[in-house]
Amino acid sequence: MVGATKASFNDVPASHWAKASIESAVAKGYFKGYADGTFRPQAHITRAEFAVLLSRISSNVVENDSSTFADIAGHWGRSGIEQSIGMGFLTPSDYSGGFKPDKALTRREMAKWMASGLAARNEGFKQALSDTKDTLVPVAEYYKGGLNPSDYPYLSVALGTGLMTGYLDGTFGPSQPTTRAEVAVILSRYQQVQIKEASDYQDLEEMREVGLTGTNLLSATPHVYSKLHGTTEPLSFENFANTPYSMLYNRGTMTVHRMIVVDAVSKTESKNLYGRMFLAGDFTRPIKDKFYNVFIESTIIPNDNASLTNAAFPSSTLYNFTTGRGFKSSTSDHFGTTVLPAYDDYLRTGFFKKDVPRRFWMHQYLNRDKEVSVNGGTMGRNGTLTHWYIP
């Protein structure tokens, strides 16, 4: 990274998508160009380079900057790497085989380092990492594979704060390297995020709620839970989630896992990040101004092959709000989700098979109108009851 420090480069034309961020990062001394007048925006960032960059932009206190990696002795980035460790970005135990400072940094590492640095300086972000350990991460690798459960909290913070984004096909690319141009943009974002609170970020708040309760109902809408009669105990969705119950007519067992609310503006735009998992231009359910779109993840284990057909399913689920409908969307292929067949496929059999657990997503509507918000806002009974309304 030694060389020119000017803010204009031969290989960064005026039309380059990251030009402003690159010039800003260079002007502030975070990045340097090369002696030949180039910035090399597509070149991969190494572990050492990103560690040094984080040490330059972070306002974290250095708690301990002693050397912990034998393979950085004499390396140009040693001081910055050690500072990043002391600032809480890097965990030495993650690199027990050596830091390998010149190895290309992966997007998984980038997310973890930045989220760890935020957690080291702010209790709210530290709590956010804890809250999202079991959340639904809106990237394709969550269902298709490529993420470890240990990745969930770090990606949640990176995505929920807007530090990083997924690709158009729904993937995050955790094992992919990242470029100098991408890092220049991300650094400008990090400077803003590090002075804010975790609670300032709506998408992160939703992922935290999903991780803790299975739904983003309270963070995505004005709904609240009713209280159990005579107590202060809220009738939370987590009371009902992941508790199997018998369906009507002895047709099988149903378990509701998650309930994701999407505040859709159109079929291609929503006000929350979870919308990218379900909405697309070919989404087959209508977007209604007076309703939120709700996506419910459930598992059904049929008792036989005959009675629980796709057509019979809605009348068998026992509770009004579990009578979801099937839908089609290209996001199903992108994100690897299994979806209840849409209405025009309802008369076909085969989706449900006796004794075979079938986990899938289905669609439901939630009323935005305060006066009728109690409609459909109940699932469960006795010790599993959940109920919500708009106060």
Side-chain angles (χ1 to χ4, degrees), residues 223 290-292 366-374 390:
H223 288 80
K290 295 183 178 181
F291 294 88
Y292 294 101
L366 175 63
N367 214 306
R368 295 177 184 268
D369 190 336
K370 175 179 178 180
E371 300 304 319
V372 293
S373 65
V374 295
I390 299 177

Side-chain angles (χ1 to χ4, degrees), residues 183-203:
V183 170
V185 173
I186 288 170
L187 290 180
S188 65
R189 295 171 182 167
Y190 188 87
Q191 287 179 288
Q192 299 302 312
V193 176
Q194 70 175 338
I195 61 176
K196 293 188 177 182
E197 299 293 329
S199 58
D200 292 334
Y201 295 95
Q202 173 71 23
D203 289 322

Side-chain angles (χ1 to χ4, degrees), residues 226-248:
S226 301
K227 299 292 195 301
L228 183 64
H229 183 68
T231 75
T232 59
E233 181 183 349
L235 297 175
S236 173
F237 178 77
E238 61 187 313
N239 294 339
F240 177 72
N242 299 308
T243 302
Y245 70 89
S246 296
M247 301 173 72
L248 293 173

